[in-house]
């Protein structure tokens, strides 16, 4: 039987020196010839040693950004520091970096989270979903990355948001392998994707340099996308799998080993003990696994031009780099080698990042995805309803605002309707929502689909779980840790009282269906006061239904009780779609009907804001 396109790419990726992995067979991928950079004095028996240099370019967390465009504002992307985004911008940086070093001695890799994050990527997953290698619509990220000649990409956790079939369809459309040494079949524990890629870079007059690229994804997939992967795939730890595959790559004769990790640096974890492996493990991989020269880091959306970690066994320094997100930066690793005693040895690794806002878009990439882009622009600008008054999320991190109340209203209404006629219909329904975007807004008058979609920037779905009154209070106490403890009389700066201990906005929850104060003069764990339900102090033993997104329901941000709580309903449609459907069904959003105060910040009992 002839190989299909996916199998051919995967088999080529997962092999080297004639040694097959996970039942695959194929040939080592090879780069073009390159000249040796210089000749040096001899070593050992007086034979001359050859030095050579190569370059590895890296992106991460592209999140569906093909062009420098914001589909929620319907304008070119811009932020406070004037970053630019998108593969069309990155492509110009890549071409410049290749020209400097030589196209034949430069590799291009990615560290994951490619196909989720913008309305562009959403459209080709849900509205006009891709279905295969050359059948039907082509994914704009595959079109752009194929044109840019990526060598490999690691899988990110958001690759699994739309389900495994959609991910496989994207894989079919890519001319490069999607790597994940720690994504395995749940039954056989064999790799579900190619674990690594081996590339040979030819050296004029010398032995080729063999580069191994190991892909590692995030164990949190088992928590965050449980509904899509449970019983189908398992996700061991990065360190554990790297200890298996790095020696294999060295045994295959790799002179250079690079990891592309969809995992941050510091060993932290947002999902508690839901899985036994850390979420952000790249620094641990560098420190605990001998034989790695460099790591392209992803997942945490931060800029780290060069981080050095010393391996605990060898004393060798491993160079790590993370190029921010969305194509804002490009990591550039420069690797020097010397030939001695019959093989190449890495003598130096350095890394830097380059800024996409310094260059123009590559016109070829921009033209390549222009048709797909325009389809999405037309889609998101369709009018879906009206609003009687403007709503903004600008103050939602420290005030009760109608725009967050609206999210909770839609979620609570949806769960109440779903539980009607069931044994849980009489239970009061609470709802949680987070200030995902401080720039989200609904205008007065006509409301477009992009206005509504901008309220909920993630592909979360909706669950309903049972919590007791005592557990609801614990839940709120956990959320209230988002605020910096502030003494009575101390100055209050709204830009500095949130995000305590680097807690992101998406990890802060507002609950509807209850009323409460958050006293930020108190220590963490003792901040929730005046907690009432139905106008009376909450009964610790009473039962409530919590409308909660699947990320939180599965243990995301490590909220107490909710992951283990009884589930009474769940929905496979994105919450974003649920909100859009609500607006279309009701026609009008009227903040005066739901925009009432339910919570407030206080300090020693005194409200901070009017």
């Amino acid at each position: 039987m002839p190989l299909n396109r996916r199998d051919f790419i995967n088999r080529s990726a997962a092999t080297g020196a004639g040694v097959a992995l996970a039942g695959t067979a194929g040939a080592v991928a090879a780069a073009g010839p390159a000249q040796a950079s210089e000749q040096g004095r001899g070593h050992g028996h007086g034979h001359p040693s050859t030095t050579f240099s190569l370059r590895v370019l890296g992106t991460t967390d592209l999140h569906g950004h093909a062009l420098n465009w914001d589909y929620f504002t319907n304008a070119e992307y811009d932020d406070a520091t004037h970053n630019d985004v998108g593969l069309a911008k990155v492509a110009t940086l890549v071409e410049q970096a290749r020209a400097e070093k030589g196209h034949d001695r430069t590799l291009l890799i990615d560290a994951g989270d490619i196909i989720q994050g913008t309305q562009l990527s959403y459209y080709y997953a849900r509205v006009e979903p891709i279905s295969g290698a050359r059948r039907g619509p082509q994914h704009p990220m595959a079109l752009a990355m194929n044109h840019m000649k990526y060598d490999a990409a690691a899988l990110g956790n958001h690759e699994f948001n739309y389900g495994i079939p959609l991910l496989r369809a994207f894989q079919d459309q890519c001319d490069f392998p999607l790597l994940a040494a720690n994504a395995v079949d749940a039954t056989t524990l064999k790799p579900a994707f190619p674990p690594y890629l081996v590339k040979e870079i030819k050296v004029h007059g010398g032995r080729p340099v063999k580069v191994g690229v190991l892909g590692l994804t995030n164990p949190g997939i088992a928590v965050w996308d449980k509904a899509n992967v449970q019983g189908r795939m398992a996700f061991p730890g990065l360190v554990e799998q790297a200890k298996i595959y790095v020696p294999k790559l060295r045994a295959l004769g790799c002179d250079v080993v690079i990891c592309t990790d969809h995992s941050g640096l510091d060993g932290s974890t947002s999902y508690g003990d839901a899985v036994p492996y850390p979420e952000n493990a790249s620094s641990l991989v560098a420190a605990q696994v001998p034989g790695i020269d460099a790591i392209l880091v992803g997942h945490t959306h931060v800029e780290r031009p060069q981080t050095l970690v010393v391996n605990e066994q060898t004393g060798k320094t491993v160079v790590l780099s993370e190029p921010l997100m969305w194509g804002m930066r490009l990591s550039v690793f420069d690797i020097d080698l010397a030939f001695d005693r019959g093989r190449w040895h890495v003598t130096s690794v350095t890394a830097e990042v380059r800024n996409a806002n310094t260059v123009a878009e590559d016109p070829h990439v921009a033209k390549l995805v222009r048709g797909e882009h325009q389809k999405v622009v037309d889609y998101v600008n369709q009018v879906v309803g009206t609003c009687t008054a403007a709503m903004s999320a600008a103050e939602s991190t420290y005030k009760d605002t109608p725009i967050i109340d609206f999210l909770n209203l839609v979620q609570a209404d949806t769960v109440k309707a779903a539980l009607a006629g069931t044994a849980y219909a009489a239970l009061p329904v609470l709802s949680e929502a987070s200030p995902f975007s401080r720039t989200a807004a609904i205008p007065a008058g006509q409301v477009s689909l992009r206005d509504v979609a901008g309220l909920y920037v993630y592909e979360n779905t909706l669950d309903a779980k049972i919590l007791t009154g005592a557990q609801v209070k614990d839940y709120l106490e956990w959320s209230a840790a988002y605020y910096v403890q502030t003494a009575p009389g101390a100055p209050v700066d709204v830009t500095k009282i949130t995000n305590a201990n680097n807690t992101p906005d998406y990890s802060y929850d507002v609950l509807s269906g209850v009323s409460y104060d958050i006293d930020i003069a108190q220590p963490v764990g003792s901040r929730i006061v005046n907690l009432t339900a139905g106008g009376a102090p909450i009964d610790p033993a009473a039962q409530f239904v919590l409308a909660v997104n699947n990320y939180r329901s599965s243990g995301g941000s490590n909220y107490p009780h909710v992951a283990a709580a009884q589930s009474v309903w769940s929905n496979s449609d994105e919450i974003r779609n649920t909100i859009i459907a609500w607006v279309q069904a009701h026609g009008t959003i009227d903040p005066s009907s739901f925009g009432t105060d339910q919570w407030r910040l206080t300090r020693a009992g005194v409200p901070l804001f009017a």
Side-chain angles (χ1 to χ4, degrees):
M1 178 182 294
L3 290 177
N4 66 28
R5 187 164 172 272
R6 180 204 305 169
D7 288 342
F8 177 80
I9 292 172
N10 290 354
R11 293 187 182 195
S12 297
T15 58
V19 179
L21 181 66
T24 59
V28 178
Q35 298 291 326
S37 58
E38 59 182 83
Q39 298 290 327
R41 291 185 59 82
H43 293 274
H45 299 289
H47 299 294
S49 66
T50 301
T51 60
F52 184 76
S53 64
L54 60 91
R55 174 170 281 179
V56 179
L57 310 177
T59 55
T60 191
D61 296 279
L62 293 168
H63 282 288
H65 289 84
L67 299 175
N68 187 40
W69 192 259
D70 186 336
Y71 292 94
F72 295 136
T73 64
N74 200 37
E76 284 196 359
Y77 179 86
D78 194 22
D79 61 19
T81 54
H82 303 297
N83 284 304
D84 287 347
V85 301
L87 281 169
K89 286 274 186 171
V90 174
T92 302
L93 292 177
V94 167
E95 184 56 32
Q96 290 177 350
R98 282 172 169 159
E100 292 166 4
K101 179 62 69 172
H103 286 67
D104 51 3
R105 61 171 72 189
T106 303
L107 303 182
L108 175 60
I109 61 177
D110 182 81
D113 276 4
I114 300 169
I115 61 170
Q116 176 277 338
T118 63
Q119 286 295 289
L120 181 73
S121 52
Y122 177 83
Y123 185 91
Y124 289 98
R126 288 288 187 258
V127 181
E128 193 178 342
I130 61 171
S131 59
R134 293 292 181 262
R135 302 184 302 275
Q138 299 297 295
H139 201 292
M141 298 300 285
L143 289 172
M145 294 175 81
N146 288 343
H147 177 82
M148 293 169 65
K149 300 189 184 303
Y150 270 79
D151 293 285
L155 290 176
N157 53 284
H158 284 288
E159 259 68 80
F160 293 85
N161 286 174
Y162 298 117
I164 293 172
L166 193 284
L167 174 54
R168 291 299 190 190
F170 178 71
Q171 185 183 24
D172 282 345
Q173 293 191 352
C174 292
D175 293 338
F176 52 90
L178 302 179
L179 307 178
N182 59 327
V184 300
D185 183 275
T187 302
T188 66
L189 300 185
K190 291 182 177 180
F193 295 87
Y196 57 77
L197 170 72
V198 175
K199 297 278 289 190
E200 281 190 355
I201 299 179
K202 293 182 180 179
V203 178
H204 183 72
R207 175 179 161 181
V209 173
K210 191 175 288 188
V211 181
V213 180
L214 177 66
L216 295 165
T217 192
N218 205 290
I221 295 165
V223 175
W224 303 319
D225 269 300
K226 182 178 179 180
N228 290 327
V229 302
Q230 187 174 35
R232 303 181 67 182
M233 290 187 189
F235 300 89
L238 283 83
V239 170
E240 290 75 9
Q241 293 302 97
K243 285 182 176 179
I244 295 172
Y245 286 106
V246 171
K248 286 188 177 183
L249 288 169
R250 291 297 183 181
L252 290 173
C254 289
D255 306 294
V256 180
V257 172
I258 298 168
C259 292
T260 173
D261 293 1
H262 193 75
S263 179
L265 284 180
D266 59 9
S268 65
T269 295
S270 69
Y271 42 75
D273 57 1
V275 295
Y277 309 109
E279 175 181 351
N280 296 306
S282 290
S283 56
L284 301 178
V285 172
Q288 298 177 16
V289 184
I292 298 169
D293 297 297
I295 299 178
L296 176 66
V297 177
H299 184 59
T300 48
H301 293 202
V302 297
E303 181 177 344
R304 302 179 190 270
Q306 177 175 276
T307 298
L308 306 180
V309 175
V310 175
N311 185 268
E312 295 167 355
Q313 295 184 42
T314 66
K316 179 181 177 181
T317 298
V318 184
V319 178
L320 303 90
S321 181
E322 183 174 4
L324 200 53
M325 60 187 181
W326 302 356
M328 292 178 180
R329 305 286 186 272
L330 175 72
S331 283
V332 180
F333 294 90
D334 283 309
I335 303 171
D336 295 332
L337 302 100
F339 193 80
D340 186 32
R341 294 181 175 87
R343 55 160 296 182
W344 290 103
H345 301 268
V346 172
T347 58
S348 173
V349 181
T350 59
E352 62 171 337
V353 296
R354 299 185 181 181
N355 195 328
N357 73 6
T358 64
V359 296
E361 285 189 336
D362 183 308
H364 299 291
V365 173
K367 181 179 179 180
L368 193 64
V369 301
R370 187 65 63 188
E372 288 76 11
H373 165 75
Q374 190 58 50
K375 273 188 179 181
V376 178
V377 169
D378 294 341
Y379 165 73
V380 300
N381 281 287
Q382 62 182 293
V383 174
V384 293
T386 61
C387 189
T388 62
M391 299 189 296
S392 169
E395 297 180 328
S396 293
T397 57
Y398 57 90
K399 283 185 181 180
D400 189 352
T401 57
I403 203 165
I404 301 299
D405 294 340
F406 174 60
L407 295 181
N408 276 325
L409 170 72
V410 173
Q411 293 180 164
D413 279 359
T414 302
V415 169
K416 287 174 185 176
L419 296 181
T422 73
Y424 308 102
L427 293 180
V429 175
L430 315 183
S431 178
E432 63 82 27
S434 303
F436 293 127
S437 170
R438 299 190 185 196
T439 60
I442 297 291
Q446 288 191 333
V447 176
S448 68
L449 186 147
R450 67 178 170 86
D451 294 326
V452 180
L455 302 182
Y456 215 105
V457 297
Y458 297 104
E459 267 61 70
N460 295 144
T461 57
L462 191 60
D463 290 351
K465 292 205 162 183
I466 301 290
L467 294 183
T468 66
Q471 291 173 331
V472 168
K473 186 175 187 298
D474 289 346
Y475 191 102
L476 286 169
E477 289 286 7
W478 185 267
S479 184
Y482 171 75
Y483 294 103
V484 175
Q485 188 172 4
T486 307
V492 174
D493 182 343
V494 296
T495 67
K496 296 180 180 179
I497 61 172
T498 63
N499 307 99
N501 297 313
N502 296 315
T503 302
D505 291 348
Y506 67 75
S507 287
Y508 170 62
D509 281 0
V510 170
L511 291 196
S512 69
V514 289
S515 295
Y516 56 95
D517 293 344
I518 302 174
D519 192 335
I520 63 172
Q522 304 305 317
V524 170
S526 301
R527 293 179 170 179
I528 301 301
V529 294
N530 302 323
L531 176 59
T532 63
I538 199 166
D539 180 356
Q543 286 192 320
F544 298 86
V545 176
L546 178 66
V548 58
N549 71 58
N550 68 300
Y551 172 81
R552 193 74 80 241
S553 175
S554 298
S557 298
N558 203 25
Y559 270 72
H561 309 303
V562 66
Q566 178 189 357
S567 178
V568 294
W569 177 81
S570 63
N571 189 13
S572 61
D573 201 13
E574 286 87 0
I575 294 171
R576 178 190 297 143
N577 278 350
T578 301
I579 301 167
I580 292 168
W582 189 99
V583 175
Q584 290 173 321
H586 288 77
T588 299
I589 307 169
D590 182 4
S592 67
S593 67
F594 57 79
T596 57
D597 290 340
Q598 299 181 85
W599 68 275
R600 60 182 180 172
L601 285 185
T602 65
R603 188 168 51 168
V606 179
L608 281 176
F609 309 106

